Amino acid sequence: MTESRGSADSAGGAHARRAPGTPCWVSLMVHALTATEDFYGALFGWEFRPGPLQLGPNVRALLDGQEVAGIGQLPPDRRLSVAWTPYLASDDVDRTAETVRLCGGTVGVGPLDADEAGRMAIASDPTGAVFGVCQGTARLRTAVTGVPGTPAWNELVTFETASVVKFYESVFGYEQDPVVSADFDYVTLHVDGRPVAGVLGAGQRLPRTRGPHWLTYFGVGDTDATLRQVVDLGGGILKPAHDSAHGRVATVTDPEGTVFSVIQSPR
C-alpha cells in the first residue's frame, strides 16, 4: 500500500475534474447516523452538515470547512453490513456503468443525478466488492487531502489480483504495477503514471465474513494515540499498529463494526 499526498485539489479547486479512475470521494451508510457522527467527529475532528436530499438522511463530513466524506442513514428495515465505499471518477457515468456490466460487474444503484453531488452510480466488481462512480466534473469529491482526518489511500482486498485487476483496467484504464513476490500478491493501480489505489490478493487470509471489499485508509497524526481514542469511543482494534514502508498503520472498527485503517506518515 501507498498513500496520496497534498493538501487540496491542485487542478483548480475542490470541484476540478479528476482523471477517470482516480478515487474522489468516500461514503458510509450506517444504522445510527447520530452516533456515527459523534464517533468520527471526536476521532477526526469532523463537523457535519446536511447532504443532498435525493440521497435520503445523510450528512457531509467537513474538516476545516472542507468536505472530506459522506455518511448516510440506512432504512430501519435494511440490516445490511456497513462499510466505507470509495468513489472513482468517470467522464461519463452511464458509459462506465455499461462497461461495468459488460465486464462482469453489477450496477446496484443508478446512474442517477443527486442534486449538487452530480451524476453517480454504485456498482460491484465480479467478486462482489462495492465501489462508487461519480462524474468527472461532479461536486461529489473530497476537497482536501494529505492531512490528518482525510482519506489517504483506498485498497481492494480480494482473493487474488490477476482477474479482478483486468476488470478495473478494462473499466477505468488503469496502468498496473505488480509486486513480484512468491508470498505477496499486490498490484498498485496508476492513473497518468501516478499511484491512486492498490489491490491486495489475500488468498485464504481474506475474512470469510466479509469477502472481497474496498478498504479506506485515513491519515492521522499519531497512530498509537488514535488507537487509544478508537477504543475510548467504543470502536475496536483488528490489527494493532505496526510500521510499514509508508508509515505506521493499523486497522480498526467503529462502534457499528465498520472496518477502516489509519496511517501516520513517516516524519
Side-chain angles (χ1 to χ4, degrees):
M1 127 326 124
T2 184
E3 63 179 306
S4 59
R5 299 183 185 278
S7 58
D9 275 47
S10 59
H15 307 305
R17 177 188 178 276
R18 292 191 181 176
T22 305
C24 56
W25 186 249
V26 291
S27 72
L28 174 64
M29 297 295 293
V30 299
H31 302 288
L33 182 56
T34 300
T36 300
E37 289 181 49
D38 291 342
F39 174 83
Y40 287 100
L43 188 66
F44 292 141
W46 290 351
E47 298 177 335
F48 301 91
R49 71 180 178 204
L53 295 176
Q54 291 96 326
L55 301 181
N58 74 103
V59 295
R60 294 293 178 86
L62 309 176
L63 186 66
D64 296 329
Q66 300 293 316
E67 295 181 352
V68 295
I71 303 177
Q73 173 83 52
L74 286 166
D77 58 341
R78 300 289 297 275
R79 303 312 299 176
L80 301 174
S81 58
V82 290
W84 281 104
T85 300
Y87 283 70
L88 308 175
S90 167
D91 286 339
D92 185 332
V93 169
D94 295 82
R95 184 176 60 193
T96 298
E98 182 59 24
T99 305
V100 165
R101 296 187 184 98
L102 291 173
C103 292
T106 302
V107 179
V109 177
L112 55 83
D113 293 315
D115 197 20
E116 78 271 13
R119 195 154 181 81
M120 56 175 285
I122 298 177
S124 58
D125 67 28
T127 70
V130 176
F131 61 94
V133 184
C134 65
Q135 200 87 13
T137 55
R139 295 175 61 87
L140 185 73
R141 56 196 58 251
T142 301
V144 60
T145 60
V147 298
T150 64
W153 185 249
N154 289 285
E155 190 170 85
L156 173 62
V157 184
T158 188
F159 294 106
E160 53 84 26
T161 63
S163 59
V164 75
V165 165
K166 291 180 181 177
F167 167 83
Y168 287 96
E169 184 180 39
S170 298
V171 175
F172 294 105
Y174 289 124
E175 305 147 13
Q176 301 182 34
D177 182 16
V179 174
V180 180
S181 172
D183 56 359
F184 190 57
D185 183 14
Y186 197 92
V187 175
T188 303
L189 303 177
H190 290 247
V191 171
D192 296 332
R194 180 172 60 90
V196 297
V199 182
L200 171 64
Q204 296 302 313
R205 294 177 289 112
L206 184 71
R208 294 185 179 181
T209 55
R210 299 195 65 201
H213 60 277
W214 280 91
L215 177 68
T216 297
Y217 289 70
F218 292 92
V220 296
D222 184 327
T223 297
D224 295 275
T226 298
L227 296 193
R228 292 191 291 271
Q229 195 173 12
V230 164
V231 173
D232 289 343
L233 293 169
I237 300 173
L238 289 183
K239 295 181 180 180
H242 62 278
D243 294 320
S244 74
H246 306 286
R248 192 159 175 77
V249 65
T251 301
V252 300
T253 63
D254 68 17
E256 280 204 23
T258 308
V259 178
F260 62 99
S261 288
V262 293
I263 182 167
Q264 173 188 338
S265 300
R267 298 184 184 279

